[in-house]
Amino acid sequence: MALPSDRAPLVERVEELLAAGGPLPIVSAGDPVLRHGTEPFDGQLEPALLARFVEALRMTMHAAPGVGVAAPQVGVELRIAVIEDPAPVPEEVRLVRGRVPQPFRVLVNPAYEPVGDGRAAFFEGCLSVPGWQAVVARHASVRLTGQDEYGRAVDEVFTGWPARIVQHETDHLDGLLYLDRAELRSLSSNEAMAERWAQPTPDEASAALGFQLP
């Protein structure tokens, strides 16, 4: 457990972030906070401050908009992330990608492990790498363990797109960006994605750009 003197600077940083009100500024790739990893949450923020921080993360995610935000993306090196996905996609995309709605969730001290050997590769983006997307092969199914914001245990299997979201956000807490796992030949601007690679799968991009899919 962190000592009170260790907690003070973190508490002050969070209070300062929240004081401005509204969505929090998102840190972009190149800032060391995205690469340092995080410390486990162990009561560094008292319950009322934690609730305010979680709500600010939620507001930031909605404003971006995105389907997840991890604490390092707003400059806080704590093992906390939020996810939510209304999945407003066509039926064909939903079926191919396994993208189904996910309610708002808070992930505290999450960790994941693969369930089975299945892999799925799709274009993926990140709020901390604005303007770009790349194909990432991830576990098709994972077991996520950790806690929620109230300290209740989480032990759940995620599949399809929700599995991708929890892997992406948990990776942030380990100092990893999606580009660390991406097929870099697939790297495409948002404009190129809209014009060329909006298909439900990246098969056409694989053939045209010259990279392998799993």
Side-chain angles (χ1 to χ4, degrees):
M1 181 178 291
L3 297 173
S5 58
D6 298 326
R7 296 179 181 186
L10 177 65
V11 170
E12 290 169 6
R13 230 180 321 139
V14 172
E15 290 277 19
E16 184 178 353
L17 277 172
L18 299 180
L24 304 176
I26 294 176
V27 173
S28 294
D31 191 310
V33 72
L34 294 173
R35 296 306 199 171
H36 285 169
T38 51
E39 62 178 86
F41 180 74
D42 187 23
Q44 293 93 329
L45 308 181
E46 52 88 19
L49 182 56
L50 175 62
R52 290 172 56 211
F53 181 56
V54 163
E55 182 56 32
L57 289 176
R58 184 179 191 175
M59 184 189 307
T60 303
M61 175 177 61
H62 288 170
V67 296
V69 171
Q73 291 183 276
V74 298
V76 176
E77 294 165 303
L78 276 179
R79 202 167 183 82
I80 297 174
V82 299
I83 65 171
E84 184 178 9
D85 184 14
V89 296
E91 182 70 3
E92 181 185 11
V93 173
R94 183 187 70 79
L95 291 173
V96 170
R97 300 181 186 176
R99 188 168 177 182
V100 295
Q102 284 294 297
F104 178 72
R105 303 276 299 268
V106 182
L107 309 179
V108 176
N109 299 331
Y112 67 82
E113 59 185 32
V115 176
D117 299 324
R119 306 273 288 176
F122 292 104
F123 275 99
E124 188 172 320
C126 179
L127 299 177
S128 291
V129 190
W132 299 91
Q133 299 181 49
V135 172
V136 184
R138 291 193 182 272
H139 304 296
S141 181
V142 295
R143 178 187 179 191
L144 186 81
T145 55
Q147 298 88 43
D148 67 11
E149 67 270 42
Y150 304 109
R152 298 177 298 207
V154 172
D155 188 342
E156 188 172 339
V157 172
F158 289 81
T159 61
W161 207 260
R164 180 170 297 270
I165 294 171
V166 299
Q167 289 173 82
H168 181 114
E169 298 308 329
T170 303
D171 280 357
H172 269 304
L173 305 179
D174 292 326
L176 294 171
L177 295 176
Y178 83 100
L179 291 174
D180 299 324
R181 302 189 185 279
E183 171 50 68
L184 291 183
R185 288 185 70 93
S186 71
L187 186 65
S188 303
S189 68
N190 286 347
E191 292 79 8
M193 279 292 302
E195 293 173 6
R196 297 176 180 272
W197 314 129
Q199 303 86 10
T201 74
D203 291 350
E204 291 187 27
S206 170
L209 299 177
F211 62 92
Q212 297 294 315
L213 293 173

